[in-house]
Amino acid sequence: SDRGLYSRDYWDVRTRGTAKLSRKIGVDAGVGFEDNTIDDPVWTNDPSISDEFDTSRLYGANERTRDVRLEGGATLDLTKRREFQDTGAWFRLQGAMYRGLYDTDSDFHAISGIAQGYLPINHRQQFALRALTRISRADGGAGIPFFHLSTLGGTRSALGYSTSRFTDNDMLSLVAEWRYEVWRDSHDIELTEFYLYFGEGAENRRLIDNSGDDWHTSFCVGTRMSMKQRVMGEAFIGFSGEGIQVGVRGTWPL
């Protein structure tokens, strides 16, 4: 199971608006306020972050941080859905700018992008592909609070690793998944599928600095039950060079 090195107590108040420019294009924008405090782990048997790292080099570990956040994004949806299968591609680009308030000496921004593609093989088989990246940069002051750095690991970026296993300024995740339908009810309402997952991911100070040693490979086998518009449940076993991750959940991001 994952260890908790710290607990994060925070307020996040936001307002957000969305607009549909066309059937395929959507945009959104918002503003938010954050108030963050880092404390010891919730479970007393977990080590503290100060036991594992030099917290004087982790901005945000020893101080309260408060900032205002301006964010916006755009989505391009080129997919078509037929029964349980999507065909085509889906793209999203979003960014956020953080400005420190009161005694918080930290200004930074983050940009993330995701591209997903779906390629049916036949009515029972499908390939799903995803590329995900996040880039964070300091704009001045003490730097980026460590909990706002880019992370790799977990169900969204690398199933074979624990959540947020790797942390740095930049992250890139590449995922391929083969899906095979094993059961469908007679009314075409529910479906159960088996899948094989392969992922490569890297994190570094700059994406351009990635080398062979920075890439982390993970594999996964799993099954999920879905309705036409949502995932009902999923169970998986992920494998990596660091061990096995087992999970059961009710949503699926890909």
Side-chain angles (χ1 to χ4, degrees):
S1 61
D2 294 351
R3 295 186 307 169
L5 295 179
Y6 64 92
S7 62
R8 177 186 170 203
D9 299 321
Y10 67 97
W11 288 90
D12 189 339
V13 181
R14 67 178 67 183
T15 181
R16 194 176 188 87
T18 62
K20 198 77 171 178
L21 302 184
S22 70
R23 186 179 64 85
K24 299 179 180 179
I25 302 175
V27 296
D28 54 87
V31 60
F33 167 76
E34 282 189 17
D35 188 336
N36 302 277
T37 304
I38 300 302
D39 208 338
D40 288 333
V42 174
W43 306 110
T44 57
N45 59 334
D46 282 345
S48 169
I49 190 172
S50 60
D51 298 330
E52 301 285 326
F53 299 97
D54 179 5
T55 55
S56 66
R57 302 178 61 184
L58 292 178
Y59 180 70
N62 298 318
E63 52 273 306
R64 178 184 182 185
T65 63
R66 290 171 288 184
D67 53 64
V68 62
R69 180 182 67 250
L70 303 176
E71 55 190 1
T75 302
L76 175 61
D77 189 350
L78 302 177
T79 61
K80 295 181 179 180
R81 190 164 184 84
R82 182 178 180 182
E83 295 184 344
F84 290 94
Q85 287 188 338
D86 286 320
T87 304
W90 181 92
F91 306 90
R92 176 165 174 78
L93 181 67
Q94 63 186 56
M97 182 174 64
Y98 297 77
R99 290 296 178 262
L101 298 176
Y102 307 107
D103 57 349
T104 300
D105 183 25
S106 174
D107 297 333
F108 64 100
H109 67 274
I111 299 173
S112 60
I114 182 171
Q116 297 181 174
Y118 304 92
L119 179 62
I121 303 170
N122 54 43
H123 73 284
R124 299 186 66 177
Q125 298 183 73
Q126 181 185 47
F127 281 115
L129 307 172
R130 182 179 67 231
L132 172 67
T133 188
R134 185 178 187 273
I135 297 171
S136 55
R137 293 288 184 272
D139 299 322
I144 305 173
F146 76 95
F147 46 82
H148 276 310
L149 291 169
S150 303
T151 62
L152 176 72
T155 54
R156 185 167 173 80
S157 58
L159 272 176
Y161 293 93
S162 58
T163 302
S164 303
R165 168 61 181 86
F166 305 99
T167 302
D168 215 316
N169 280 4
D170 297 355
M171 180 276 293
L172 176 63
S173 169
L174 304 173
V175 171
E177 189 176 293
W178 172 71
R179 302 170 177 175
Y180 182 79
E181 178 184 324
V182 295
W183 174 83
R184 183 186 299 200
D185 76 305
S186 58
H187 301 289
D188 288 338
I189 297 176
E190 298 179 1
L191 168 136
T192 299
E193 62 184 3
F194 167 83
Y195 65 87
L196 297 176
Y197 167 109
F198 172 77
E200 286 280 359
E203 41 66 52
N204 211 319
R205 186 68 60 180
R206 300 287 187 273
L207 284 180
I208 196 172
D209 296 332
N210 284 332
S211 62
D213 293 338
D214 298 312
W215 289 92
H216 309 284
T217 303
S218 58
F219 304 89
C220 178
V221 294
T223 183
R224 69 173 67 93
M225 178 176 287
S226 306
M227 300 182 72
K228 288 186 178 180
Q229 300 300 323
R230 65 184 180 91
V231 174
M232 298 173 61
E234 177 183 21
F236 63 86
I237 303 176
F239 306 89
S240 71
E242 294 187 350
I244 297 175
Q245 297 290 321
V246 179
V248 178
R249 61 192 184 120
T251 59
W252 183 250
L254 182 59

